[in-house]
Amino acid sequence: MKKAVREQIFNKYGGKCAYCGCELQKGWHVDEIEPVRRNFNWNQDKRRYEVNKDNPMCHPERLHIDNQNPSCPSCNINKHSESLESFRSAIKGYMKHLNEVSTQYKIAKRYGLITETDIDVKFYFETLNEYDTATKES
């Protein structure tokens, strides 16, 4: 990816992650909103996965700036190659999972350090669009 294109993607949301809104740091990722799903093969000799050179991705037509968002590594890694709605659903399920398996989480909740809510998951870029719409309407 050319440096100028990467800079455009970085600036889409003012240097913030499109999903959680944190300030992007060195090592930030470019996420494909609609996934391209790269194809990997296991290389037994090197004992690692490598991109399939004959067929590197399932949807190369999606590899363009309109389908790319700036992302912090944790959001991009957790999103995997899922749709926005699947990612939203996964985030919504984190609290249930923490309640099932994390003793530390449950103790922190008992002591009032954590307050759970049942709000809808909104990505940072969606809140900007709402702000833009509200500003234009007033």
Side-chain angles (χ1 to χ4, degrees), residues 94-138:
Y94 290 169
M95 189 169 51
K96 180 179 184 272
H97 180 75
L98 286 167
N99 275 304
E100 290 171 354
V101 301
S102 176
T103 300
Q104 293 88 348
Y105 179 84
K106 290 184 270 189
I107 289 171
K109 188 170 81 169
R110 269 188 249 139
Y111 281 89
L113 299 172
I114 295 170
T115 304
E116 294 180 355
T117 66
D118 194 30
I119 61 172
D120 291 332
V121 173
K122 286 206 177 218
F123 298 121
Y124 178 71
F125 75 91
E126 293 170 326
T127 66
L128 294 177
N129 291 343
E130 286 177 359
Y131 175 77
D132 291 344
T133 302
T135 303
K136 288 174 188 171
E137 290 175 357
S138 52

Side-chain angles (χ1 to χ4, degrees), residues 6 17 19-20 48 75 88 90 95 100 124 126 131 136:
R6 189 166 166 82
C17 174
Y19 304 111
C20 71
R48 68 177 185 207
C75 281
R88 188 185 319 274
M95 189 169 51
E100 290 171 354
Y124 178 71
E126 293 170 326
Y131 175 77
K136 288 174 188 171

Side-chain angles (χ1 to χ4, degrees), residues 57-72:
M57 64 185 77
C58 294
H59 298 283
E61 72 280 2
R62 295 179 180 169
L63 204 55
H64 59 84
I65 195 165
D66 293 337
N67 188 46
Q68 293 173 316
N69 267 341
S71 178
C72 68

Side-chain angles (χ1 to χ4, degrees), residues 2-31:
K2 292 183 179 180
K3 189 175 182 176
V5 172
R6 189 166 166 82
E7 189 173 330
Q8 274 184 288
I9 295 166
F10 179 88
N11 290 324
K12 264 185 165 180
Y13 303 109
K16 294 182 184 280
C17 174
Y19 304 111
C20 71
C22 75
E23 294 286 333
L24 295 173
Q25 305 294 318
K26 184 178 180 180
W28 64 277
H29 293 189
V30 173
D31 175 64

Side-chain angles (χ1 to χ4, degrees), residues 75 77-80 82-98 121 123:
C75 281
I77 290 165
N78 278 283
K79 183 175 175 281
H80 303 287
E82 298 296 329
S83 69
L84 289 176
E85 292 314 310
S86 292
F87 183 37
R88 188 185 319 274
S89 178
I91 294 168
K92 188 82 169 173
Y94 290 169
M95 189 169 51
K96 180 179 184 272
H97 180 75
L98 286 167
V121 173
F123 298 121

